[in-house]
Amino acid sequence: MKSINVGVIGTGSISAMHLQSYQKHANANLLAVCDLNEERARLAAEKYGATKVFTDYRELLADPEIDAVSICTWNNTHAEISIAALNAGKHVLVEKPLCRTVEEALRVQEAVKSSGKLLQVGFVRRYDPNAQMLRDFADKGEFGEIYFAKASSIRRLGNPGGWFSDIERSGGGPLIDIGVHVIDLCWYMMGRPKPVAVSANTYRKLGNRSNVRNLSFYKAADYDAEKNTVEDMANAMIRFENGASLLVDVSFTLHAKDNQQSVKLYGDKGGFEIDPEVVIVTEKHDTIINIQPQTDHKGFDFNSAFQSEVNHFIASIENGTQPLSPVEDGVEIMKILCGIYESAEKGAEVLL
Ligand SMILES: NC(=O)c1ccc[n+]([C@@H]2O[C@H](COP(=O)([O-])OP(=O)(O)OC[C@H]3O[C@@H](n4cnc5c(N)ncnc54)[C@H](O)[C@@H]3O)[C@@H](O)[C@H]2O)c1
């Protein structure tokens, strides 16, 4: 089978996961990289064996040898680069969030339709082996009707600075950056019910706390603590058409005792937790039991999840099949995220 020639656009922090996964894939050929920062692009090309280096993504997209691209740039460029790539006849794997607004998301969806090319949204948590195992359990009726989910992604200190904290380039703070992962994971596990209403709050109380000493945290490739125009924390209640609900809280900074990462779902036949560790809860013979599935992966396995995401992207291209995280899901998640910001702004519930 002809190998798939790939270009990676944006060679900052997360691109390493894409680059290493393509490099390890037997039928993907990492051909090109692109970054506004030429030195960064050149280093990535050397490390991962790409032969072409660009600083303008339009030149990469004009290269007829390239079949597919990963987009690992700032959020404000996702829609523009995705649409240009699709129109240039390339398949697209775009990092989360799909973009910043519902309007942008709908334009990307339109370009997917008109181009006939494939677009996979980088909802990497779906591709985690444990998530796939639990999705399979859910499909087989193990949990019955999942009617409530609760997720936290609390960083006590973790505003990555740079573009992440510049609302123009990011579209928002912890909600759109890390909240998107757990909201999508819960929604996917619940069977993707239609969201109908959101009630939410955002807070800007603590700033980025770049003054704090003795604790390290994740930083953008171009870290800069000067500008911070995003929320510190957000909480939300999302209501679905089938009566199910999702409660979520996320932060870049909060006076919390420690970081908290938890994803819990509850059905009428059983419940389960994905983070921080997989456990299934059910009742048998009038007794409540916690079941610990035995797998190679104790918690969320970053490397395996990215490798599966890339493997799935290449397989979807080869087989002409719809990806597990199609553009339509990216649009729905943008509706939820933007609904949360709107509700917080209005101080009232918002109907979606
Ligand atoms: N899936 C995950 O778990 C995960 C984790 C972190 C980040 N992300 C996402 O990945 C994307 C990148 O995040 P990051 O942490 O790597 O940021 P980063 O700041 O480390 O890297 C971004 C890179 O994109 C480059 N860039 C920006 N605009 C460009 C353009 N128009 N053309 C070419 N290059 C451009 C920048 O120069 C920079 O090198 C974001 O959308 C973020 O939400 C996903």
Side-chain angles (χ1 to χ4, degrees), residues 299-335:
F300 175 57
D301 184 335
F302 223 65
N303 287 308
S304 299
F306 271 98
Q307 189 66 58
S308 320
E309 178 179 273
V310 160
N311 292 353
H312 183 82
F313 180 51
I314 298 294
S316 302
I317 295 171
E318 287 170 343
N319 304 327
T321 46
Q322 265 287 87
L324 191 70
S325 46
V327 68
E328 290 74 19
D329 289 8
V331 172
E332 283 305 293
I333 292 295
M334 284 319 300
K335 286 183 188 164

Side-chain angles (χ1 to χ4, degrees), residues 142-143 269-273 279-283 288-291:
E142 192 70 23
F143 312 116
K269 288 198 182 134
F272 60 104
E273 299 186 2
V279 64
I280 293 173
V281 182
T282 190
E283 186 185 306
I288 291 174
I289 51 176
N290 293 358
I291 303 168

Side-chain angles (χ1 to χ4, degrees), residues 208-221:
N208 61 16
R209 297 173 82 206
S210 58
N211 58 302
V212 170
R213 290 176 288 163
N214 307 321
L215 278 177
S216 52
F217 55 92
Y218 183 86
K219 291 183 173 128

Side-chain angles (χ1 to χ4, degrees), residues 9-15 18 34-37 40 55-57 71-78 80-81 95-97 122-124 163-164 176-177 181 218-222 300 302 306 309:
I9 304 173
T11 55
S13 311
I14 207 60
S15 69
H18 291 247
C34 169
D35 200 289
L36 295 174
N37 181 324
R40 196 173 291 152
T55 52
D56 183 338
Y57 77 84
I71 300 173
C72 305
T73 53
W74 309 326
N75 300 347
N76 64 323
T77 64
H78 288 189
E80 173 191 315
I81 302 178
E95 262 302 345
K96 52 47 64 173
F123 290 138
V124 70
W163 71 267
F164 284 95
I176 204 166
D177 182 38
H181 280 301
Y218 183 86
K219 291 183 173 128
D222 301 292
F300 175 57
F302 223 65
F306 271 98
E309 178 179 273

Side-chain angles (χ1 to χ4, degrees), residues 1-2 5 91 113 153 174 189 197 221 231 255 276 278 292 314:
M1 198 183 288
K2 176 194 170 292
N5 287 330
H91 302 290
K113 269 193 209 142
S153 207
M189 286 295 167
E231 77 277 7
H255 285 306
V278 171
Q292 202 99 55
I314 298 294

